[in-house]
């Protein structure tokens, strides 16, 4: 096992009707800014419940955080934070709203003139030393943003990771019933995003990290069991509750501790979202199987382990197990109505250069668990994903 530090300060409050707990979780004299997206929380009554639970406090609202939240939109929220002397940020929504709220907090507290500086640090924590407390009410299980210190922000044709220990929410309310109103395609996004988060922390090379591996395999098996079920039966509480908790545990640092990670699929996926507007999870479903086909040698030992333990593939040579594991993975995504080829989104050979150029422009030239994946290999992966 590799050395690691593990830190996670987020309190989770899980279950039906837990929005009421906001009254205990947020100080009575707080000046709260509620941040949200395009209006789903208004339409489905969540905003009213949140306001009712926060009664007695000074409440302000900032709406319009779009999917793949834009820097320019978030900077408008920074103005509200300053003007209204806000001292608590409450994100009510999915990954975009939670990420956007984290960025608002960092930008409001960054001393530098140009807040786009914050987009240049990637996986290194940004130089911001103080921030407001953040709470979240999760309406879309997918990103794990409710229990991690990361955010992904869109700016100038790219998507940028922004990290800080200040970005861990103080608490997150996970009420699976708040997610019942999601369109089927967003639920599928949640299943696939979570599945691939787990794989990017698992399918690298073995380091004898048994707890992390078996926990990762447990999440993957759970998603295979409940994925289609929770899409078809959105109000089946137990199926949805399992998705919600898997999404949170898939990217809160637990299974990442002490293991190599390979975020190539996400990095190529971010370019595809930035250029073509394809949903985050949908980009991943096309890239991961292609990446594994190209990197079957480097990842072979872990893919064989995945084949045996997650898909119960016991027969055949290692090569046959890898082939079958890749095709089972594709079939699983397709069974959720999630295409695994970029041609389904209208991309052709002519688009490959555009994506490779964009990776180059954003410095994505040393990807993978060992940093050996250059643009030539990314090109092969994108070609295979077509
Ligand atoms: O904006 P509203 O009207 O609320 O509608 C949203 C949005 O259109 C809708 N929605 C959310 N909850 C709903 C609902 N509709 C009906 N009922 C509900 N209960 O869903 C749409 C998509 O929302 P979004 O927040 O964009 O989706 P998701 O949670 O998948 O977040 C994607 C973003 O998170 C980033 C992605 O890059 C992308 O920008 N990620 C963040 C990560 C992190 N912080 O750790 C890691 C991930 O890998 C990912 O990169
Ligand atoms: Zn993701």
């Amino acid at each position: 096992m590799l050395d690691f530090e593990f830190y996670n300060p987020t309190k989770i409050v899980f279950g039906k009707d837990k929005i009421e707990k906001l009254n205990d979780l947020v100080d009575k004299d707080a000046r709260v800014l509620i941040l949200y997206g395009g209006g789903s929380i208004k339409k489905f009554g969540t905003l009213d419940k949140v306001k009712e639970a926060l009664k007695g406090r000074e409440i302000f609202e900032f709406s319009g955080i779009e999917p793949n939240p834009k820097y320019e939109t978030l900077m408008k929220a920074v103005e509200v934070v300053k003007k209204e002397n806000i001292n608590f940020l409450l994100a009510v929504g999915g990954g975009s709203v939670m990420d956007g709220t984290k960025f608002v907090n960092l930008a409001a507290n960054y001393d530098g003139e140009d807040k786009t500086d914050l987009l240049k640090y990637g996986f290194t924590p940004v130089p911001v030393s103080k921030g407001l407390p953040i709470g979240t009410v999760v309406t879309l299980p997918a990103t794990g943003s409710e229990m991690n210190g990361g955010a992904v922000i869109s700016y100038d044709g790219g998507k940028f990771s922004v990290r800080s220990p200040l970005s861990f929410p103080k608490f997150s309310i996970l009420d699976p019933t708040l997610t019942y109103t999601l369109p089927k395609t967003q639920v599928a996004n949640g299943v696939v995003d979570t599945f691939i988060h787990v794989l990017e922390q698992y399918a690298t090379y073995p380091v004898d990290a048994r707890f992390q591996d078996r926990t990762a395999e447990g999440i993957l098996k759970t998603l295979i069991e409940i994925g289609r079920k929770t899409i078809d039966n959105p109000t089946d509480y137990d199926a949805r509750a399992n998705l919600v908790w898997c999404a949170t545990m898939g990217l809160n640092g637990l299974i990442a501790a002490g293991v190599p990670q390979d975020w190539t699929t996400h990095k190529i996926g971010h370019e595809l979202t930035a250029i073509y507007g394809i949903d985050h999870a949908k980009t991943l479903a096309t890239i991961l199987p292609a990446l594994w086909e190209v990197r079957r040698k480097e990842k072979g030992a872990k893919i064989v382990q995945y084949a045996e333990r997650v898909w119960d593939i016991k027969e055949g040579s290692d090569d046959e197990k890898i082939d079958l594991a890749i095709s089972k993975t594709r079939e699983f995504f397709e069974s959720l109505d999630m295409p695994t080829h970029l041609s389904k989104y209208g991309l052709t050979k002519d688009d490959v250069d555009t994506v490779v150029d964009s990776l180059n422009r954003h410095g994505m030239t040393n990807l993978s668990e060992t940093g050996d994946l250059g643009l030539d290999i990314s090109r092969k992966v994108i070609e295979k994903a077509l």
Side-chain angles (χ1 to χ4, degrees):
M1 197 183 302
L2 309 179
D3 295 349
F4 65 89
E5 292 184 12
F6 177 69
Y7 170 75
N8 199 310
T10 304
K11 174 180 183 130
I12 296 294
V13 181
F14 194 108
K16 285 179 190 159
D17 300 326
K18 293 296 188 235
I19 284 181
E20 291 168 7
K21 289 272 177 188
L22 284 171
N23 192 32
D24 305 327
L25 293 163
V26 180
D27 286 349
K28 298 278 185 280
D29 57 357
R31 293 172 69 79
V32 183
L33 180 62
I34 303 174
L35 299 101
Y36 58 96
S40 72
I41 68 156
K42 264 193 167 158
K43 186 168 162 196
F44 300 116
T46 306
L47 182 61
D48 287 342
K49 288 186 206 156
V50 166
K51 287 199 216 153
E52 176 63 28
L54 291 173
K55 233 169 40 206
R57 293 148 181 97
E58 289 280 357
I59 308 275
F60 303 83
E61 287 179 36
F62 183 86
S63 64
I65 299 182
E66 55 282 276
N68 308 301
K70 289 199 181 91
Y71 172 83
E72 292 80 2
T73 306
L74 303 171
M75 289 311 292
K76 292 185 191 144
V78 170
E79 285 168 31
V80 180
V81 169
K82 292 192 166 156
K83 179 163 164 269
E84 304 296 353
N85 229 345
I86 297 298
N87 58 20
F88 195 93
L89 298 172
L90 185 66
V92 186
S96 296
V97 171
M98 294 187 274
D99 285 9
T101 301
K102 293 173 178 184
F103 187 78
V104 168
N105 191 26
L106 295 170
N109 288 286
Y110 175 59
D111 291 333
E113 274 295 289
D114 183 358
K115 313 297 180 193
T116 63
D117 290 351
L118 296 170
L119 305 173
K120 294 174 189 151
Y121 290 85
F123 286 169
T124 307
V126 295
V128 178
S129 54
K130 64 175 180 16
L132 301 177
I134 295 174
T136 83
V137 176
V138 180
T139 66
L140 198 172
T143 61
S145 187
E146 62 275 12
M147 201 177 180
N148 69 39
V152 183
I153 305 303
S154 296
Y155 177 68
D156 193 24
K159 290 189 73 177
F160 300 90
S161 295
V162 182
R163 294 204 173 209
S164 167
L166 297 164
S167 291
F168 283 93
K170 187 176 162 210
F171 65 79
S172 285
I173 294 182
L174 307 183
D175 175 348
T177 68
L178 297 177
T179 74
Y180 286 176
T181 54
L182 281 165
K184 283 184 191 308
T185 185
Q186 292 293 349
V187 182
N189 283 353
V191 175
V192 170
D193 196 17
T194 303
F195 200 84
I196 292 182
H197 291 157
V198 174
L199 289 178
E200 296 211 85
Q201 300 162 89
Y202 173 92
T204 57
Y205 52 88
V207 292
D208 199 13
R210 296 175 191 223
F211 167 79
Q212 296 89 323
D213 278 4
R214 290 205 164 87
T215 307
E217 289 152 4
I219 297 173
L220 297 170
K221 286 185 89 115
T222 305
L223 292 169
I224 292 164
E225 280 167 17
I226 55 96
R228 188 68 238 179
K229 194 172 173 196
T230 193
I231 294 172
D232 290 339
N233 308 286
T235 57
D236 174 334
Y237 180 82
D238 289 321
R240 186 56 59 88
N242 276 292
L243 171 59
V244 170
W245 192 224
C246 283
T248 304
M249 294 303 285
L251 198 56
N252 69 352
L254 185 72
I255 60 168
V259 300
Q261 300 174 46
D262 173 17
W263 291 98
T264 303
T265 298
H266 267 70
K267 293 301 179 193
I268 300 177
H270 286 333
E271 302 298 344
L272 293 167
T273 300
I275 303 167
Y276 303 101
I278 306 168
D279 285 358
H280 171 64
K282 293 185 170 61
T283 65
L284 309 178
T286 65
I287 297 298
L288 182 114
L291 175 71
W292 281 15
E293 279 165 16
V294 173
R295 302 282 282 184
R296 53 188 295 138
K297 196 163 121 266
E298 291 81 356
K299 294 182 181 293
K302 287 304 283 287
I303 300 178
V304 168
Q305 181 179 313
Y306 163 78
E308 291 171 350
R309 295 199 200 163
V310 175
W311 292 106
D312 295 317
I313 300 166
K314 306 282 190 215
E315 309 286 316
S317 65
D318 282 359
D319 261 340
E320 286 164 342
K321 287 178 181 168
I322 292 170
D323 283 338
L324 198 50
I326 296 174
S327 62
K328 288 266 184 200
T329 307
R330 271 191 198 281
E331 278 166 28
F332 174 55
F333 296 160
E334 299 275 355
S335 80
L336 307 174
D337 304 318
M338 177 78 61
T340 57
H341 293 283
L342 287 169
S343 54
K344 283 275 167 16
Y345 300 101
L347 274 74
T348 66
K349 282 203 300 292
D350 297 342
D351 291 287
V352 177
D353 278 342
T354 311
V355 184
V356 173
D357 288 350
S358 201
L359 282 165
N360 192 26
R361 201 169 57 255
H362 296 131
M364 299 296 150
T365 51
N366 299 94
L367 301 175
S368 94
E369 54 271 49
T370 56
D372 69 335
L373 197 151
L375 292 175
D376 50 334
I377 308 177
S378 285
R379 173 180 295 279
K380 280 191 198 149
V381 172
I382 298 158
E383 281 167 355
K384 264 217 181 301
L386 284 173

